[in-house]
Amino acid sequence: MRLQEYQGKELFQRVGIPISAGKVALSPLEAEQAARALGGTVVVKAQVLVGGRGKAGGIKLARSPEEARAHAENIFQLQIKGERVRKVLVTEAVEIEREFYLSITIDRAAKKPVVIFSPEGGMEIEELASAHPEKIVKFHIDPLIGLQPYQVRTALYQASMEPTSLKLLSDIFFKLYQAFTQYRANLVEINPLALAAGKLIAVDSKFIIDDDDVPAELAGWEEEELAGSPEERAAKQADLQYVKLDGTIGVIGNGAGLVMATLDVVALKGGRPANFLDIGGGASAEVMKQALQIVLSDSQVQGLFINIFGGITRCDEVARGLVATQRELGIRVPMVVRLTGTNETEGRKILHAQGITPVADMEEGAAEIVRRVMAHST
Ligand code: GDP
Ligand code: MN
């Protein structure tokens, strides 16, 4: 089984190979939040099981959380060598001074692990092998006695590495061999292994584990093929019923029947719904927040219509979720809220305090949001 970059890096970290801090994001909004949490310049990286992501536009530097989100929006639209992007890794950017290549794989003919090192990392090994075969150093490991310090020293001298870098590099060789044996890998690769501020950092990871011998602790690491858009996948994770449509008005309601009716009314008033989202019965403020995040992470959305007919769902809970989202994320598109039923007075009070005036009628609300989105876009 092949691991994603972020999974391979997790294993690197367990054996002590330094990586830069990072977070996995399932949507552009999560990428923005990850970038904000990490702070500073970040790299947004498509998590797909094929190489050459950089050249395919799947790796982008971002100087602000907003930029990270914009890059993630583009990256989630990509197909890299036929593979759809379902996750991105947001990492602290490394100031790379120099890039090395290091891998350990099984040499089938020799029936031994083989170490490959090059002082010219960054490009893929096949390219490097044809462009600069003299810049590649290779040696076998006897599996019975393991990697020997003299082997590493010899390889680094052959690669013309400065004596000062020997200790730093050799440490990574041993840790990578530990990862290779401990996780029963067929291949482990760090490309690039970057020199930055006097330290070595694994900027990328490639990890292939023997399918017949997967360690128990990695059970379930094989990534399932999750279908759908990033928003649909985020909704699935949050246990919300969401279907992406191709319009511009985000719709949130409680109860499938009510949401379907809402879509019809929006269409009848001349608008185009961007989605179906049912928060279900008895939704909490937290669920409402998740629903809003998912709908707002769709870059097509230019307006929001929230239609709540409170029964077991309490209007005050919905209002609290809405206000919290407004405060934390800022809702930047026009929004109309229709709120009636259980704890309506309480809910209205909460919204009023935040400067939101709910409407009482669904048809009136739909007409209002369509009008405002049109005014906004012309
Ligand atoms: P790949 O294209 O799939 O091999 O993805 P990598 O993770 O190896 O990234 C491709 C290239 O992007 C690297 O060789 C680096 O040159 C560059 N890159 C990736 N992460 C960083 C980073 O944190 N800082 C800098 N300066 N460059 C990076
Ligand atoms: Mn790489």
Side-chain angles (χ1 to χ4, degrees):
M1 93 185 174
R2 266 186 98 116
L3 299 184
Q4 298 282 8
E5 174 191 359
Y6 76 91
Q7 298 174 309
K9 283 181 166 174
E10 162 73 32
L11 299 186
F12 283 171
Q13 202 169 26
R14 290 189 194 176
V15 297
I17 297 173
I19 57 168
S20 59
K23 285 173 190 288
V24 171
L26 295 171
S27 65
L29 182 71
E30 280 185 27
E32 176 179 343
Q33 291 168 335
R36 188 163 290 123
L38 291 165
T41 303
V42 298
V43 185
V44 184
K45 312 182 76 174
Q47 297 298 287
V48 287
L49 299 174
V50 292
R53 295 167 300 163
K55 276 187 202 142
I59 305 219
K60 296 278 184 218
L61 206 70
R63 285 182 181 77
S64 68
E66 292 74 25
E67 201 186 338
R69 177 182 177 147
H71 283 316
E73 262 161 25
N74 292 327
I75 290 173
F76 276 119
Q77 307 294 324
L78 293 179
Q79 281 212 4
I80 302 179
K81 296 178 186 166
E83 196 178 327
R84 283 192 51 177
V85 180
R86 304 164 195 287
K87 288 182 181 170
V88 298
L89 175 64
V90 182
T91 63
E92 281 176 355
V94 176
E95 289 219 28
I96 302 180
E97 291 155 28
R98 199 165 169 191
E99 295 184 318
F100 304 108
Y101 174 96
L102 180 63
S103 72
I104 305 175
T105 179
I106 307 258
D107 180 344
R108 300 271 165 214
K111 297 199 176 75
K112 281 177 182 166
V114 58
V115 180
I116 302 175
F117 173 75
S118 173
E120 299 291 326
M123 64 172 102
E124 288 188 64
I125 189 67
E126 296 81 7
E127 281 173 77
L128 186 63
S130 62
H132 294 287
E134 77 286 356
K135 288 191 173 151
I136 295 179
V137 179
K138 269 191 191 189
F139 64 92
H140 287 106
I141 298 175
D142 182 333
L144 295 178
I145 57 171
L147 181 63
Q148 297 296 307
Y150 81 89
Q151 293 184 293
V152 178
R153 272 198 309 271
T154 310
L156 293 174
Y157 280 123
Q158 278 172 3
S160 311
M161 299 310 303
E162 310 72 45
T164 50
S165 63
L166 295 192
K167 201 178 159 337
L168 217 52
L169 276 163
S170 116
D171 182 51
I172 304 289
F173 276 63
F174 283 97
K175 285 173 174 164
L176 191 63
Y177 185 59
Q178 189 195 331
F180 180 82
T181 52
Q182 186 171 329
Y183 299 109
R184 303 200 271 279
N186 288 334
L187 174 119
V188 285
E189 182 189 86
I190 311 178
N191 185 30
L193 172 62
L195 182 68
K199 275 184 59 180
L200 287 172
I201 298 174
V203 166
D204 192 6
S205 88
K206 189 166 163 185
F207 227 110
I208 303 178
I209 308 238
D210 189 342
D211 281 320
D212 298 325
D213 200 15
V214 177
E217 64 186 299
L218 304 188
W221 276 43
E222 192 143 26
E223 294 230 314
E224 48 178 317
E225 293 286 297
L226 288 165
S229 65
E231 293 85 9
E232 282 169 339
R233 278 175 278 120
K236 209 167 172 178
Q237 286 225 324
D239 224 9
L240 290 167
Q241 300 303 315
Y242 172 93
V243 180
K244 186 162 160 51
L245 303 170
D246 59 9
T248 55
I249 297 176
V251 174
I252 296 175
N254 63 314
L258 180 67
V259 180
M260 299 230 276
T262 311
L263 300 182
D264 283 345
V265 177
V266 167
L268 215 66
K269 300 291 172 189
R272 287 166 44 237
N275 68 274
F276 170 102
L277 198 160
D278 172 15
I279 56 170
S284 65
E286 190 51 40
V287 168
M288 185 61 189
K289 243 175 90 177
Q290 288 176 324
L292 283 160
Q293 290 192 4
I294 289 162
V295 171
L296 293 169
S297 71
D298 175 353
S299 57
Q300 304 258 72
V301 167
Q302 292 170 21
L304 199 55
F305 184 29
I306 295 161
N307 187 8
I308 302 298
F309 190 88
I312 45 172
T313 304
R314 288 165 37 189
C315 291
D316 57 324
E317 276 294 316
V318 170
R320 260 188 274 278
L322 184 56
V323 167
T325 312
Q326 173 81 287
R327 285 210 192 108
E328 289 165 31
L329 294 178
I331 297 173
R332 298 179 204 106
V333 294
M335 172 173 66
V336 172
V337 186
R338 182 254 185 157
L339 202 60
T340 53
T342 312
N343 291 5
E344 176 181 331
T345 316
E346 179 67 21
R348 286 175 166 264
K349 232 184 255 168
I350 294 167
L351 292 183
H352 274 303
Q354 190 70 14
I356 304 165
T357 307
V359 300
D361 181 76
M362 158 153 101
E363 223 179 293
E364 180 197 322
E368 170 80 3
I369 190 63
V370 171
R371 199 176 50 69
R372 286 177 59 187
V373 166
M374 285 180 171
H376 208 252
S377 61
T378 49

